[in-house]
Amino acid sequence: MSEHHPPLRSYGRLKSRAIKPRQAALMETLLPAIRAPGGPFDPRALMPDATEAWLEIGFGGGEHMAAQAARRPDVLVIGAEPFQNGVASALRHIDEQGLQNVRVHDGDVRELLARIPDASLERVFILFPDPWPKARHHKRRLLQADLAAELARVLKPRGRLRFASDWSDYVDWSLERLGKAFRWTAERPDDWRMPPADHVTTRYEEKRLGDCAPVFLDFIRD
C-alpha cells in the first residue's frame, strides 16, 4: 500500500447551497451507517457476500452510482465525493431505492485509496470530473499521473476503469495518463463515441456543458 501522498486539497466549495431538510436528516442518520471506515480496510469486509467491489470517484448527485448499485445488488459500490450537496443528494437516491450495497466516502478519494489494499477492486468509474479547462488550472484536475498509478495499484488484474468527459482537452489529457497505467480497449470510433451498454446517463451529462460530445474511455489493467 502506498505510504506517501501529497497534501490533500479540495478546489471549489465543499457546500454550494443549503441542503434540503430531508437530505440533511439523512446526513445525520443514513450517512454514519454507510460511511466507509476511517482506517485501513478491505472492501470485501464491508459486504462479504459481494461478487465484486466497485468505486465511483466524484459521484456528483449520485444518480449513476445508485443506478449501478440497483442493477447489481451483488456488487459492493463505494462512492467518493467531497461536496456535501452531492453526498446529500446521493443519500436520497440510496434511501429511496432501499440500497444495501452502497458505501460512501464523503471526502477526497485519495484519502480513501490510501486505506485500501492492493488489487482490491474490480471496477472504477470517473465520470465527467471538473475539467478545469484553463491551462493554468490543469494542476487542479483530479486525474494526474499519481492518481492513475494509485488506481492501477488498487485494481485487480483484468480490472476495468471507465473515464468519461465532454471536454476534448481533458479526454486527451486523461488518455495520455491512463494509457501509461492501463490498456485502452477501443477498437473503433464508436467505442468511445457511443455510451457503453451499461452506462447510465445523468441529468448533469444531458446538460452538455463541455466543448464536445461525451467521450467514453474504457481501460483494463493487464
Side-chain angles (χ1 to χ4, degrees):
M1 186 179 297
S2 298
E3 297 179 354
H4 301 291
H5 298 271
L8 301 178
R9 179 177 178 186
S10 294
Y11 294 93
R13 292 172 293 177
L14 290 178
K15 184 179 179 182
S16 61
R17 60 188 182 279
I19 295 174
K20 297 176 181 178
R22 181 188 170 197
Q23 295 180 6
L26 291 173
M27 294 282 281
E28 298 295 328
T29 58
L30 180 57
L31 180 57
I34 65 171
R35 181 180 275 130
F41 70 96
D42 186 335
R44 283 301 170 81
L46 304 181
M47 185 176 164
D49 58 345
T51 59
E52 295 186 5
W54 298 356
L55 171 65
E56 181 164 348
I57 300 175
F59 55 70
E63 291 176 82
H64 177 273
M65 177 176 68
Q68 293 287 2
R71 284 178 176 177
R72 293 291 304 273
D74 61 308
V75 170
L76 171 68
V77 181
I78 305 173
E81 174 62 60
F83 298 102
Q84 293 183 39
N85 297 93
V87 172
S89 174
L91 292 175
R92 177 177 62 83
H93 290 298
I94 294 166
D95 182 58
E96 288 180 348
Q97 298 181 50
L99 302 174
Q100 303 296 312
N101 58 325
V102 179
R103 300 294 182 271
V104 171
H105 172 67
D106 51 327
D108 191 303
V109 71
R110 291 174 293 176
E111 298 172 333
L112 178 73
L113 293 172
R115 300 201 297 265
I116 64 177
D118 297 355
S120 57
L121 301 173
E122 278 84 7
R123 197 164 192 191
V124 172
F125 297 96
I126 308 175
L127 305 179
F128 302 96
D130 193 323
W132 293 103
K134 295 181 180 179
R136 68 176 182 272
H137 292 155
H138 284 181
K139 63 184 179 182
R140 301 184 181 185
R141 287 176 168 173
L142 168 70
L143 189 54
Q144 304 288 343
D146 57 348
L147 181 66
E150 187 74 342
L151 293 174
R153 179 186 70 78
V154 299
L155 270 170
K156 294 183 176 181
R158 307 298 296 172
R160 295 171 292 161
L161 183 152
R162 175 171 299 157
F163 176 90
S165 179
D166 52 4
W167 285 87
S168 56
D169 176 70
Y170 205 0
V171 171
D172 293 340
W173 166 284
S174 302
L175 188 57
E176 178 183 353
R177 283 151 183 80
L178 291 171
K180 294 177 180 178
F182 303 93
R183 176 169 57 85
W184 187 28
T185 64
E187 297 179 351
R188 59 187 69 85
D190 278 356
D191 290 340
W192 67 82
R193 291 175 178 168
M194 302 296 294
D198 63 347
H199 177 63
V200 177
T201 302
T202 65
R203 287 174 295 173
Y204 177 85
E205 180 185 340
E206 290 175 341
K207 292 179 181 179
R208 298 294 181 96
L209 299 176
D211 65 357
C212 69
V215 174
F216 301 89
L217 306 178
D218 277 348
F219 298 87
I220 286 179
R221 180 183 181 275
D222 286 327

